[in-house]
């Protein structure tokens, strides 16, 4: 995906805790989809003292924005700052590179430099931090396994070992103490697709696609 892209995507999500069933699904996936990798994702989400961003999501707002910083396999040399916007059923994601030093400046409240930065997303974040006092609040880790079905642009992900640092925002620290956010046996299964689901995916046996 490009750094700035409008895309219309639909998704079905299910939290599962039946390991034998999940193993069966993964085995079936490998028969007709390409394994696209397995990696650790760490994100730090921005919100304010009133949980404005979280409330908008849980209450189903059709017009909302959220910011997060994200890295993969704890590689602090490659950090993305992301802005994910919802406009009715359209999703827009903007991304830009962020250095470890820049994250620490943001985390410490040193943000005035952002107002004149050349990156649009940093200027947008500066406005949100100034108007609504959003800041890094929650670090979340999980392991993601991805399968791709090329026809129909279908992406199936299995997220497991979901953990949180609660209010500790030391996002760059590989030794950050994390606690279970879900039952350790739970896996979040998600299917993302465009306008249609190919028949072979429909027959996958996933209740939320019916």
């Amino acid at each position: 995906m490009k750094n700035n892209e409008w895309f219309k995507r639909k998704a079905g999500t299910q939290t599962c805790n039946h390991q034998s069933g999940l193993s069966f699904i993964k085995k079936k996936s490998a028969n007709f989809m390409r394994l696209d990798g397995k990696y650790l994702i760490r994100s730090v989400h921005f919100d304010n003292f009133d949980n404005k961003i979280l409330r908008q999501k849980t209450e189903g707002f059709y017009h909302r924005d959220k910011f997060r910083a994200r890295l993969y396999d704890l590689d602090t040399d490659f950090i993305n700052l992301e802005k994910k916007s919802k406009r009715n059923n359209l999703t827009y994601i903007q991304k830009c590179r962020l250095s470890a030093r820049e994250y620490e400046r943001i985390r410490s409240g040193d943000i005035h430099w952002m107002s004149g930065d050349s990156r649009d997303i940093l200027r947008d974040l500066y406005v949100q931090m100034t108007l609504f006092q959003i800041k890094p609040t929650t670090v979340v880790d999980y392991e993601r396994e991805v399968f791709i079905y090329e026809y129909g642009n279908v992406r199936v992900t299995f997220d497991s070992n979901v953990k949180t640092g609660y209010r500790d925002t030391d996002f760059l620290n590989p030794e950050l103490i994390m606690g279970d956010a879900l039952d350790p046996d739970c896996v979040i299964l998600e299917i993302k697709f465009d306008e249609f689901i190919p028949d072979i995916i429909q027959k996958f046996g996933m209740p939320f696609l019916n």
Side-chain angles (χ1 to χ4, degrees), residues 132-170:
F132 301 109
Q133 291 76 56
I134 71 169
K135 61 182 180 178
T137 55
T138 307
V139 175
V140 177
D141 282 356
Y142 52 90
E143 295 174 10
R144 169 164 288 180
E145 192 167 2
V146 183
F147 290 86
I148 301 293
Y149 186 70
E150 304 290 353
Y151 306 102
N153 192 23
V154 179
R155 176 181 169 93
V156 179
T157 60
F158 299 87
D159 295 341
S160 58
N161 296 321
V162 183
K163 299 180 182 295
T164 178
Y166 299 100
R167 291 288 173 173
D168 189 339
T169 59
D170 194 5

Side-chain angles (χ1 to χ4, degrees), residues 62-195:
Y62 288 109
H63 185 123
R64 65 182 190 270
D65 302 302
K66 73 175 182 180
F67 293 85
R68 67 189 177 205
R70 174 167 285 186
L71 53 80
Y72 298 88
D73 292 325
L74 301 179
D75 181 3
T76 58
D77 290 330
F78 191 92
I79 303 169
N80 278 328
L81 177 65
E82 302 180 357
K83 177 184 178 182
K84 186 175 182 181
S85 304
K86 287 282 190 179
R87 302 292 184 267
N88 297 318
N89 62 343
L90 273 180
T91 299
Y92 183 52
I93 289 184
Q94 292 173 275
K95 295 192 293 186
C96 71
R97 290 290 297 275
L98 188 73
S99 71
R101 180 174 179 272
E102 287 171 334
Y103 172 74
E104 287 297 343
R105 291 182 72 181
I106 293 171
R107 180 183 175 221
S108 69
D110 175 13
I111 64 172
H112 295 294
W113 59 275
M114 296 164 58
S115 65
D117 195 90
S118 61
R119 291 161 289 184
D120 292 344
I121 183 173
L122 274 169
R123 296 197 304 273
D124 290 348
L125 179 57
Y126 172 77
V127 171
Q128 294 293 313
M129 294 183 76
T130 303
L131 291 180
F132 301 109
Q133 291 76 56
I134 71 169
K135 61 182 180 178
T137 55
T138 307
V139 175
V140 177
D141 282 356
Y142 52 90
E143 295 174 10
R144 169 164 288 180
E145 192 167 2
V146 183
F147 290 86
I148 301 293
Y149 186 70
E150 304 290 353
Y151 306 102
N153 192 23
V154 179
R155 176 181 169 93
V156 179
T157 60
F158 299 87
D159 295 341
S160 58
N161 296 321
V162 183
K163 299 180 182 295
T164 178
Y166 299 100
R167 291 288 173 173
D168 189 339
T169 59
D170 194 5
F171 169 67
L172 305 175
N173 180 5
E175 304 301 324
L176 179 65
I177 296 174
M178 306 289 285
D180 290 331
L182 296 175
D183 186 304
D185 291 330
C186 282
V187 176
I188 300 172
L189 170 61
E190 183 173 56
I191 296 182
K192 292 182 179 179
F193 56 98
D194 292 335
E195 294 300 328

